[in-house]
Amino acid sequence: MTQEQLIYTFDQFKHASEYVSFKELASGHINDTFLIETKAEPFFIVQRINHSVFKDVPGLLSNKVSISRHIQNKLSYLSDEELHRQVLRFVQAKNGDYYHKDKHGDYWNVMIYIKDSVTHDVVSNAKIAYEGGKLSGNFLNLTSDFDTSNLTEVIPKFHDMPYRFWQFEQALKVASEDRKSKARVYLLKVAELKEEMHIIQKLKESGQLKLRVTHNDTKISNVLFDKHDNGLCVIDTDTVMPGVVHYDFGDAIRTICNTAAEDETNLDLVHFNIEFYRAYKKGFLEKVASTLSPLEINTLPIGAKTMIFIMALRFLTDYLNNDIYYKTKYPEHNLDRAKNQFKLIDSMVHQMDVIKTKNVYSMD
């Protein structure tokens, strides 16, 4: 992306700012994101949406803008300064849409940059976990009355367990004997956990779990903090879709509570951090417990286990498929990722007596 191309793209949106410089922000794995600095504040975020991953980009951006407006209306009692630090704001394109489609078929959107904000790629202390939980819970709380039928399902069947098992079974049919042999222990684990890992799905399908707005990518790097590690805003709402609360709680726990990197090969380093779990859960329930049913709260632990499992299953499936989805650095990379997630499940299970409290509403 040249400076001239970026300036041209930026100028397809309604702003009255004079461009000064840009820099690429490399934290994302799917989209291309740039910070535009202008002569006067505010600065802007310009983002190219990966339409190979997201097939309906106009629908995706409609989701983002609709949810942002809904949250802004809920927080209208805040000062303009506070509101602008706690909610994503999108800039309209000159054609009236909230995106620009360039001559190459790429889709772009522009957001207002949230000044003096920081992100964390890993959780280093319980306060960050707690603040992340508060923001994720508040996102669910503020959108609990949003009609999910107005949302586009940008990645169909994203957390659908039967679909993920179907993909796994198809991969197993074509996998090489060598790869099946190396993965044999984990193929047995999948079979052992299969019934339990459909609990959340069955509760959802029976209507016992409310279909609500979910973020679906609640890793800690998708939360903005101030310099004192106080939570500011949930970002990266590309995957906002109808879902159940367990998707957001579980995916956050999966990433926050692993004491090692997702592809750490020394499994002795992979443990489930119970301190971070309790801190995140405390912040999460402080904000959203009033809108959840007892069943939703009581099944949060199995929801966390399910979300860890679904990633283990996806990594294992890709390994059996000869690594066609996730980028890999060496032949066993996806298998190592799967092993890592299964070890995290084991560590969580060993602490389940602590995780499951007698009082389902416990903040501890």
Side-chain angles (χ1 to χ4, degrees):
M1 172 58 58
T2 67
Q3 178 173 265
E4 290 73 20
Q5 289 172 318
L6 199 59
I7 293 173
Y8 174 80
T9 299
F10 181 48
D11 284 342
Q12 302 313 302
F13 290 81
K14 296 178 181 179
H15 66 83
S17 302
E18 185 177 343
Y19 171 90
V20 173
S21 63
F22 83 94
K23 64 179 179 180
E24 185 169 5
L25 304 179
S27 61
H29 300 298
I30 296 176
N31 301 324
D32 298 317
T33 308
F34 305 87
L35 171 63
I36 297 281
E37 296 191 359
T38 52
K39 207 158 195 178
E41 294 181 349
F43 296 161
F44 298 85
I45 297 293
V46 177
Q47 189 172 64
R48 176 167 49 195
I49 305 294
N50 187 332
H51 60 273
S52 295
V53 173
F54 300 110
K55 305 302 183 183
D56 182 0
V57 178
L60 176 153
L61 287 166
S62 175
N63 286 355
K64 290 165 73 93
V65 172
S66 296
I67 291 300
S68 179
R69 285 175 175 166
H70 185 84
I71 294 174
Q72 286 182 57
N73 289 335
K74 286 294 196 70
L75 298 179
S76 59
Y77 60 88
L78 295 176
S79 68
D80 286 347
E81 181 181 357
E82 281 303 305
L83 186 63
H84 294 163
R85 286 176 66 75
Q86 294 185 32
V87 188
L88 290 177
R89 290 178 294 155
F90 295 87
V91 180
Q92 195 173 35
K94 291 177 179 178
N95 65 4
D97 295 323
Y98 279 88
Y99 63 87
H100 164 67
K101 186 177 182 181
D102 67 22
K103 62 182 180 180
H104 303 294
D106 290 326
Y107 291 85
W108 297 82
N109 74 120
V110 172
M111 294 166 281
I112 305 294
Y113 174 68
I114 298 178
K115 182 182 177 184
D116 296 328
S117 60
V118 298
T119 59
H120 297 284
D121 290 328
V122 296
V123 173
S124 57
N125 59 65
K127 180 181 180 180
I128 293 173
Y130 170 71
E131 291 289 325
K134 283 170 60 179
L135 278 182
S136 184
N138 202 36
F139 178 86
L140 290 167
N141 178 49
L142 292 170
T143 59
S144 63
D145 59 344
F146 188 94
D147 184 354
T148 58
S149 67
N150 293 325
L151 291 177
T152 297
E153 192 175 6
V154 294
I155 306 180
K157 299 183 182 296
F158 190 44
H159 294 317
D160 186 273
M161 191 63 76
Y163 175 65
R164 293 304 182 186
F165 264 95
W166 177 85
Q167 289 182 313
F168 167 74
E169 288 158 3
Q170 296 307 302
L172 198 54
K173 291 177 183 177
V174 299
S176 69
E177 289 302 320
D178 178 60
R179 291 208 169 200
K180 284 193 289 187
S181 176
K182 289 177 179 175
R184 194 166 308 281
V185 170
Y186 300 95
L187 302 183
L188 294 173
K189 281 183 175 289
V190 169
E192 176 188 331
L193 290 168
K194 183 174 182 178
E195 184 175 352
E196 183 186 11
M197 292 298 96
H198 279 81
I199 290 174
I200 296 299
Q201 183 78 28
K202 290 176 179 178
L203 290 172
K204 176 189 171 186
E205 290 174 352
S206 68
Q208 295 180 73
L209 297 177
K210 178 184 175 180
L211 197 64
R212 56 177 73 237
V213 175
T214 46
H215 183 283
N216 296 298
D217 189 13
T218 48
K219 58 180 178 283
I220 202 66
S221 58
N222 283 336
V223 173
L224 294 183
F225 295 84
D226 66 17
K227 62 183 179 180
H228 302 295
D229 287 338
N230 298 306
L232 291 177
C233 180
V234 171
I235 61 171
D236 198 2
T237 51
D238 293 351
T239 51
V240 163
M241 290 180 283
V244 294
V245 64
H246 308 78
Y247 294 168
D248 282 3
F249 180 80
D251 197 40
I253 292 302
R254 183 186 76 82
T255 53
I256 287 170
C257 294
N258 194 338
T259 57
E262 194 173 65
D263 55 0
E264 174 59 59
T265 58
N266 182 355
L267 298 183
D268 290 338
L269 300 178
V270 178
H271 300 287
F272 186 87
N273 189 316
I274 193 69
E275 179 191 7
F276 290 177
Y277 175 88
R278 297 178 75 172
Y280 185 89
K281 178 188 171 189
K282 183 175 188 292
F284 185 82
L285 289 180
E286 280 180 8
K287 293 297 184 179
V288 77
S290 63
T291 74
L292 300 181
S293 69
L295 178 63
E296 284 177 307
I297 297 175
N298 201 33
T299 50
L300 287 177
I302 185 62
K305 185 177 179 181
T306 300
M307 293 305 295
I308 301 170
F309 174 84
I310 209 167
M311 281 310 304
L313 186 65
R314 290 176 66 187
F315 287 140
L316 187 57
T317 298
D318 202 34
Y319 175 70
L320 296 172
N321 270 332
N322 291 316
D323 313 313
I324 60 175
Y325 187 84
Y326 295 108
K327 293 179 180 178
T328 57
K329 296 179 181 177
Y330 56 90
E332 311 303 319
H333 199 172
N334 271 322
L335 181 59
D336 285 338
R337 288 165 169 156
K339 290 178 179 179
N340 183 298
Q341 297 298 290
F342 280 117
K343 173 61 189 301
L344 188 62
I345 289 174
D346 290 343
S347 180
M348 180 184 182
V349 169
H350 290 153
Q351 300 179 80
M352 195 59 79
D353 287 344
V354 178
I355 292 168
K356 287 185 176 179
T357 56
K358 291 181 179 179
N359 178 1
V360 296
Y361 293 97
S362 173
M363 300 294 180
D364 295 328

